[in-house]
Amino acid sequence: MLDDSLFDDPARLVDADPGGLLRLAALSGAQVRAAAESATEVGMDDLADGRPRAVVLLARPGVGPGVCRLLTALAGPRCPVPVVVTETVPAWIGALDVVFAHSEDVGDAVLAESVSIACRRGATVVLAVPSDGPVAAAGAGRAKVLPPRIPVPPALSFAHALAVGLSIFGALDLVRFDTDQLADELDKEAERAHPNQETLTNPAKSLAMRLAERAPLLWGLDPVSTAVAEHGAFALGAHAATPCHVADYQQAVAERALHRAASSVGSEADLFADPEDNPGSALRVFLVSARYDAQGEAQERGAVRDLPGADLISPGDSVRDDAVLRSAALAARFDLAAVYLGLAAGTLNGPGWPAMAMH
């Protein structure tokens, strides 16, 4: 059962969080700074020597798939270099390609084999992985390895993986971003979500309350937002045992029966209604919007008009109009909300959890 009274009792939150997950979830900014330092040390300048034939993103289990989708969306449809998201290196991988992979599983045999193949064929390989184990060994002496320097559970490593990926895209001039601004924005998001902040003014607690005991439909209003929604679904599954439906909004509209059922559901106005009284009310549409330009604003207005009962998840006006900043802040909010929800629902305190969390 959900104990939502926990949200506005900082002392009880501390007691319910012996592993300090809320504190660890607030370290996204620190992860970005640490990844930037690692990127400087290993050197990314050689990536800019010539435009690669393709950038291959290896999406391994964990935060990796969401990071890869977000990097692809940030590069955009007009990206001058093909960006390929796959689980293993393609057969055509070669010396003209750049390969990126993130994994917290040091023994990922499938990834180790992909890294070995890519390195043997002369591809430029960048790995956001721990420095020990078969994966790092497969790229030893040939791959650029940027291990995590801020110890957090694997499910909270999104910021590290994203920062390493952005360092590649930045060196290739495919995505423009400012590391310091990104880290500062993530710090601000953590401050807004601090346990001492009341639910009404805490965006992560508020989001957790809205998600509680519902079947969330996370519908992204553009490719960047949909990638963030994908990570949100992962975070909720990892911390709060909450299954989610994720889709691009236009795809969701095409799923007519589900869209019709969702459109008949109210919003946070009936937040405290008992879903058992009306099973359909357990559905809740969350329009995920990292809106950062006029087109995104128009899409947001249109979707809200079509689904007036939906909840809008947006970084808010406090985050400036920049796709990287707004999407990263929103991803961090999902992490924090999922941890809050997991603490209140008791899903983070099962047998073996503390031991598993940090591996």
Side-chain angles (χ1 to χ4, degrees):
M1 294 293 292
L2 182 77
D3 181 7
D4 54 24
S5 66
L6 195 68
F7 291 152
D8 285 328
D9 192 332
R12 288 180 60 214
L13 271 172
V14 171
D15 292 339
D17 187 19
L21 282 174
L22 282 174
R23 177 183 60 80
L24 295 170
L27 295 178
S28 293
Q31 291 188 60
V32 168
R33 292 187 184 90
E37 291 176 2
S38 296
T40 299
E41 291 173 5
V42 303
M44 293 289 184
D45 295 342
D46 57 333
L47 270 67
D49 291 345
R51 181 158 287 171
R53 176 178 61 173
V55 177
V56 178
L57 308 179
L58 300 181
R60 302 303 300 156
V63 302
V67 168
C68 291
R69 303 279 183 240
L70 181 54
L71 288 169
T72 304
L74 289 170
R78 296 182 180 178
C79 180
V81 177
V83 179
V84 180
V85 178
T86 178
E87 293 185 355
T88 58
V89 290
W92 45 260
I93 201 73
L96 299 178
D97 305 311
V98 173
V99 177
F100 164 70
H102 166 271
S103 178
E104 294 285 346
D105 180 2
V106 297
D108 187 337
V110 173
L111 178 55
E113 182 180 7
S114 286
V115 169
S116 178
I117 292 171
C119 287
R120 285 201 310 269
R121 295 188 183 176
T124 299
V125 180
V126 181
L127 302 174
V129 301
S131 55
D132 56 349
V135 175
R142 296 172 293 183
K144 299 177 187 294
V145 180
L146 288 76
R149 295 182 173 180
I150 306 298
V152 298
L156 294 175
S157 62
F158 185 89
H160 172 250
L162 177 63
V164 175
L166 284 172
S167 71
I168 299 170
F169 279 61
L172 295 172
D173 199 26
L174 303 180
V175 175
R176 296 182 179 179
F177 74 105
D178 184 293
T179 298
D180 291 334
Q181 287 183 357
L182 176 57
D184 289 346
E185 195 56 60
L186 290 172
D187 285 344
K188 292 176 185 176
E189 185 66 30
E191 290 172 9
R192 289 188 286 265
H194 192 278
N196 289 339
Q197 297 285 350
E198 295 183 358
T199 300
L200 289 176
T201 57
N202 185 318
K205 288 182 182 179
S206 174
L207 177 56
M209 282 287 292
R210 291 151 65 191
L211 288 161
E213 298 179 337
R214 303 289 170 176
L217 311 178
L218 303 182
W219 293 350
L221 299 186
D222 56 68
V224 169
S225 302
T226 303
V228 174
E230 182 176 348
H231 174 67
F234 166 78
L236 288 165
H239 300 296
T242 300
C244 301
H245 175 270
V246 179
D248 168 80
Y249 183 67
Q250 295 305 318
Q251 178 67 23
V253 171
E255 298 177 21
R256 296 185 183 280
L258 182 59
H259 186 269
R260 185 165 55 249
S263 65
S264 65
V265 176
S267 67
E268 54 199 288
D270 61 351
L271 186 64
F272 301 102
D274 188 348
E276 294 184 3
D277 294 339
N278 177 11
S281 70
L283 291 176
R284 176 72 76 243
V285 178
F286 293 87
L287 299 174
V288 182
S289 174
R291 171 178 54 82
Y292 47 86
D293 56 22
Q295 181 179 359
E297 186 175 2
Q299 290 173 329
E300 186 179 293
R301 283 200 306 268
V304 170
R305 182 180 61 249
D306 293 342
L307 286 176
D311 282 295
L312 180 66
I313 304 178
S314 170
D317 295 335
S318 60
V319 183
R320 72 183 185 85
D321 293 340
D322 177 273
V324 173
L325 297 183
R326 292 179 70 81
S327 58
L330 209 49
R333 186 174 303 174
F334 269 114
D335 280 337
L336 288 155
V339 171
Y340 273 120
L341 188 53
L343 291 172
T347 56
L348 293 182
N349 299 316
W353 168 260
M356 292 187 296
M358 297 302 294
H359 286 191

